[in-house]
Amino acid sequence: MSELDQNARHASKMAKKKAARDRMMATKEGEKGLIIVHTGPGKGKSSSGFGMILRCIAHDMPSAVVQFIKGAWQTGERTLIEANFAHLCQFYAMGEGFTWETQDRARDIAAAEKGWEKAKELIRNPEIKMVLLDEINIALRYDYLSVDDVVQFLVEEKPPMTHVVLTGRNAKEELIEIADLVTEMSLVKHPFRSGVKGQKGVEF
């Protein structure tokens, strides 16, 4: 087959795909605030959430972040947002650090509950278009928060046009059930297993 024929065949194939896509898009109407869950053992859950926060910032959409685990850890995204975009994105680091560092369940529960109260306040504010609940799935996994309470609040009180992003491995089934978008990050390889520590710009 000549290059000219290949080009013509490709053009025909793409035209059919476009027609099918246009028909599908014609059935999609309206918008809604989404409940988005990023979970799984692979890297990228928080990174994806912060990518959406930066999109909101780029569109001048007010947003907010509540971190449930990485409290005292000064991450690159926190530094960037607080230094440059505080007028568009509120940032609250409410955690006490990783659970194996605190070794204090009562303290972890208190921090998670305080973070959840702040999260509810932010989500209830209709001016805020997206709220990232970073690592909340960890708090739910260890029962620092009640998944029933979180689910009920999101279903009954989240404003219709507010997006809420919840990250962390081992997302509860109850949360997955009500979510509009769920992505599970799979782990294929990780440098930590080869003796490489977490590095600035990659992990934080």
Side-chain angles (χ1 to χ4, degrees):
M1 182 181 294
S2 69
E3 185 172 350
L4 185 63
D5 289 337
Q6 289 181 36
N7 290 342
R9 183 177 180 183
H10 176 79
S12 176
K13 184 177 180 180
M14 293 302 109
K16 290 178 181 177
K17 280 193 173 185
K18 182 180 185 309
R21 181 75 180 177
D22 289 346
R23 286 194 298 271
M24 181 184 72
M25 293 302 294
T27 67
K28 312 301 179 188
E29 297 180 0
E31 297 178 343
K32 63 172 288 192
L34 303 177
I35 298 172
I36 301 168
V37 175
H38 295 319
T39 192
K43 176 175 164 48
K45 298 176 287 294
S46 294
S47 300
S48 180
F50 278 107
M52 286 188 285
I53 288 292
L54 288 176
R55 285 177 180 162
C56 287
I57 290 171
H59 289 295
D60 289 324
M61 297 167 58
S63 57
V65 176
V66 179
Q67 288 191 309
F68 281 82
I69 300 296
K70 306 167 186 171
W73 195 3
Q74 189 65 33
T75 61
E77 52 267 24
R78 179 179 173 186
T79 300
L80 175 70
I81 290 170
E82 289 182 337
N84 299 280
F85 305 111
H87 63 293
L88 278 172
C89 182
Q90 300 181 49
F91 203 114
Y92 299 92
M94 309 294 286
E96 293 280 359
F98 292 108
T99 53
W100 58 83
E101 292 174 341
T102 63
Q103 300 176 24
D104 187 333
R105 186 171 185 272
R107 183 174 154 189
D108 289 335
I109 290 173
E113 290 176 344
K114 187 175 179 182
W116 177 235
E117 289 305 311
K118 174 56 69 174
K120 289 190 288 186
E121 173 191 326
L122 295 165
I123 293 168
R124 285 189 180 112
N125 182 351
E127 298 299 315
I128 298 176
K129 302 306 179 186
M130 177 177 286
V131 181
L132 169 60
L133 307 181
D134 189 36
E135 303 287 9
I136 191 174
N137 289 338
I138 305 300
L140 292 169
R141 175 189 180 188
Y142 288 109
D143 296 321
Y144 298 163
L145 297 173
S146 163
V147 68
D148 292 336
D149 289 348
V150 171
V151 166
Q152 182 176 359
F153 176 83
L154 293 175
V155 170
E156 297 181 1
E157 295 194 47
K158 182 184 77 65
M161 295 307 295
T162 301
H163 305 298
V164 179
V165 185
L166 307 96
T167 73
R169 60 177 62 199
N170 301 114
K172 295 271 191 175
E173 286 299 322
E174 296 94 329
L175 190 59
I176 291 173
E177 180 67 26
I178 66 160
D180 300 287
L181 171 61
V182 179
T183 300
E184 183 171 10
M185 312 294 188
S186 61
L187 177 62
V188 179
K189 293 179 72 174
H190 198 293
F192 189 77
R193 292 183 173 180
S194 302
V196 180
K197 68 179 182 179
Q199 299 179 83
K200 187 184 297 184
V202 179
E203 273 80 25
F204 58 92

